[in-house]
Amino acid sequence: MPSAKEQIAKVLQDQPDDRSYDEILRELAFARMVERGLADSDAGKTISHEEMGRRIKTWQK
């Protein structure tokens, strides 16, 4: 597993030169969220599609 510094460097290297500071920060945050989501999935910390639907409905009230 690459270090955090190596992962950040990879995301930065993959960005076009004209990216703004905010766009780069969004990409870094997105990469971290994906990493955490995959770790949760590997650990069995998931919910069903139906349960997610129920939770979303509660947000709309």
Side-chain angles (χ1 to χ4, degrees), residues 8-27:
I8 290 169
K10 172 79 170 101
V11 171
L12 291 175
Q13 288 173 342
D14 290 346
Q15 298 304 303
D17 289 339
D18 64 346
R19 284 288 167 122
S20 73
Y21 186 84
D22 289 334
E23 289 170 325
I24 292 170
L25 286 176
R26 277 193 294 275
E27 287 296 321

Side-chain angles (χ1 to χ4, degrees), residues 5-59:
K5 187 176 178 179
E6 291 169 331
Q7 290 173 319
I8 290 169
K10 172 79 170 101
V11 171
L12 291 175
Q13 288 173 342
D14 290 346
Q15 298 304 303
D17 289 339
D18 64 346
R19 284 288 167 122
S20 73
Y21 186 84
D22 289 334
E23 289 170 325
I24 292 170
L25 286 176
R26 277 193 294 275
E27 287 296 321
L28 288 168
F30 177 75
R32 181 65 178 135
M33 286 186 284
V34 169
E35 179 184 300
R36 290 174 67 188
L38 291 172
D40 283 347
S41 179
D42 290 344
K45 297 178 183 177
T46 60
I47 61 173
S48 69
H49 179 74
E50 292 77 18
E51 174 61 20
M52 191 70 239
R54 283 191 288 277
R55 291 182 186 191
I56 290 171
K57 285 182 183 176
T58 67
W59 303 343

